[in-house]
Amino acid sequence: MEMFWEYFNAFWVGGLICALAQILVDKTKLTPARILVGFVVLGVILGGLGLYEKLVDFAGAGATVPIMGFGNTLAKGVIKGIEEKGFLGVFTGGATAAAGGITAAIFFGFLAAIFFKPHQK
C-alpha cells in the first residue's frame, strides 16, 4: 500500500506543477519560453535553499521530472562543484550534474530525427 501512495504523490505533485504552468500559459501574456525559464529559476532558488529536496523526498519523480527538477539539479551541482573546486565550481558544477540528462536529450533527439522526417512548419 505504501507504493500506491508514492505513485499517488508523484502524480498529484507533478500534475500540480504542470497545471500551474498551463494556467500561466492560458491566463497570462507570458510566452512559454519565459514560463519555462521562470520554472527553472524557481527550481534553482528552491534547490539552493534546500527546500526542493523536501519536495523530492515527498513526491519523487513528480518533483524531479518537471522542469523545476532540472533547476534543482543545476543548483545541487553548483553547490557540489563549489565544495570540490571552489569558485570554478560555480561554472562547472551545474553542467556536470546535468550532463547525463542533456546527453540523453541530444541522443534521443538525434534518433528521432533519423527515424522520422523532420521539417519546419
Side-chain angles (χ1 to χ4, degrees), residues 1-48:
M1 189 67 171
E2 186 176 320
M3 184 180 260
F4 168 78
W5 290 111
E6 290 178 21
Y7 287 126
F8 181 76
N9 290 337
F11 178 79
W12 78 262
V13 170
L16 186 66
I17 292 170
C18 294
L20 178 60
Q22 189 63 50
I23 289 168
L24 290 172
V25 168
D26 293 343
K27 301 293 182 184
T28 68
K29 293 184 182 206
L30 293 171
T31 63
R34 289 184 182 198
I35 294 169
L36 286 173
V37 169
F39 272 74
V40 171
V41 170
L42 183 60
V44 169
I45 291 169
L46 293 175

Side-chain angles (χ1 to χ4, degrees), residues 52-105:
Y52 203 80
E53 199 60 36
K54 293 175 184 172
L55 185 63
V56 170
D57 291 341
F58 175 74
T64 58
V65 172
I67 196 74
M68 287 173 57
F70 179 69
N72 178 51
T73 299
L74 292 174
K76 287 192 321 188
V78 169
I79 292 168
K80 183 178 177 186
I82 290 170
E83 290 171 355
E84 293 176 356
K85 300 178 182 173
F87 185 70
L88 185 61
V90 170
F91 304 105
T92 62
T96 301
I102 293 169
T103 302

